[in-house]
Amino acid sequence: TALAERHASRLAGSLSMCGLVQGGVANWNSTLDPVFALRTLLAPGSGIRLTGLASPAAATEAADAMTGVLAEAQHSAAGRARIALAAALHNIPGWNDPSQPRPAPTDWDTQQSGQYQAVVGLVRFPAFVWRQEAESRAGGSMSWNTGVDYRAMLRSSPYRKEVQELYAKAGLSLKSDLNVLDRAPRTRADSKAVDWMSRTSSFTGRLSRPQLNIHTTGDALIPVQSESAYRRAATAAGSTPLLRQGFVDNAGHCTFSPGEQIAALHALEDRITTGHWRGSDPAALNS
């Protein structure tokens, strides 16, 4: 997507698969939200650093500490409810492992179990180890949650009902925990790091060649809602005639079949050849 926006003269068109199309700043902010909730609600006195990680070793130490917190919390109903809340703040779906059957719509426990595994994966790599690497490039922390309204974030999450049900089952007050998040000290960003991340890793939505984006609906690493961010950017830039987005109903990150990838490529090739999006609707892609 960055190449498509910045070096369009080199391309006839582009195919973005499970892309981080919300951009770097939004990605690192949304990665901060779940671990902020986990530390605040499950380990408030732990001192686990969420940003400003000094070295790879420090990042690994923080990831290990948070993984231990998660493992202990998963053994109690209260802990599971709070993990589900953290997952909802990142829009981590309950079905994100393609090797497992899809949970029933109201099977909250199975959905939470799937979210737990994904949250562990988020903690082990993106939230700490990958963040430290990104911070070292940006020259500081490019993330903040000052001014974030976690109540509003939960209201807009498709997993709100699951969180409410698990809190009720655990006998916990969701309102009380959201109040705790409201009062907790927030994280501020380094403005120079934000500027660097904005320059290098954020998107304008200004396309001059056709782009097709496909995304799995059960992506826990880059939640499918990121596509909405790029759609808004393209709309603001007047590029929507050049953008098409398709969604594969499967769990996991980039778990496209070879046939799905080829169908997407053919749809893009047809658009490049004819100048019209004829084969990008769901029926044509499925066929």
Side-chain angles (χ1 to χ4, degrees), residues 57-80:
T60 299
E61 182 180 349
D64 289 346
M66 188 64 82
T67 301
V69 169
L70 282 169
E72 183 175 353
Q74 186 65 9
H75 290 302
S76 70
R80 290 191 293 273

Side-chain angles (χ1 to χ4, degrees), residues 61-116:
E61 182 180 349
D64 289 346
M66 188 64 82
T67 301
V69 169
L70 282 169
E72 183 175 353
Q74 186 65 9
H75 290 302
S76 70
R80 290 191 293 273
R82 287 168 170 152
I83 291 170
L85 171 59
L89 297 179
H90 193 61
N91 280 331
I92 292 175
W95 184 47
N96 55 70
D97 182 351
S99 70
Q100 299 297 319
R102 186 197 299 264
T106 58
D107 187 352
W108 313 120
D109 291 328
T110 301
Q111 290 182 42
Q112 191 278 338
S113 179
Q115 288 172 323
Y116 166 70

Side-chain angles (χ1 to χ4, degrees), residues 186-208:
R186 299 302 179 94
T187 295
R188 296 184 179 276
D190 182 309
S191 60
K192 291 183 179 179
V194 175
D195 289 345
W196 183 90
M197 189 63 67
S198 298
R199 290 195 313 272
T200 63
S201 313
S202 292
F203 302 122
T204 65
R206 291 192 290 269
L207 295 168
S208 55

Side-chain angles (χ1 to χ4, degrees), residues 140-162:
S141 172
M142 56 283 175
S143 296
W144 71 92
N145 66 348
T146 50
V148 172
D149 184 343
Y150 287 108
R151 267 190 188 77
M153 192 178 290
L154 180 62
R155 280 197 301 270
S156 67
S157 172
Y159 310 110
R160 178 182 62 175
K161 179 65 174 175
E162 174 206 350

Side-chain angles (χ1 to χ4, degrees), residues 17 21 40 58 90 108 137 160 170 178 249 253 264 266 284:
M17 298 192 292
V21 291
T40 301
H90 193 61
W108 313 120
R137 293 177 181 272
R160 178 182 62 175
L178 290 170
D249 187 24
H253 175 61
H266 284 334

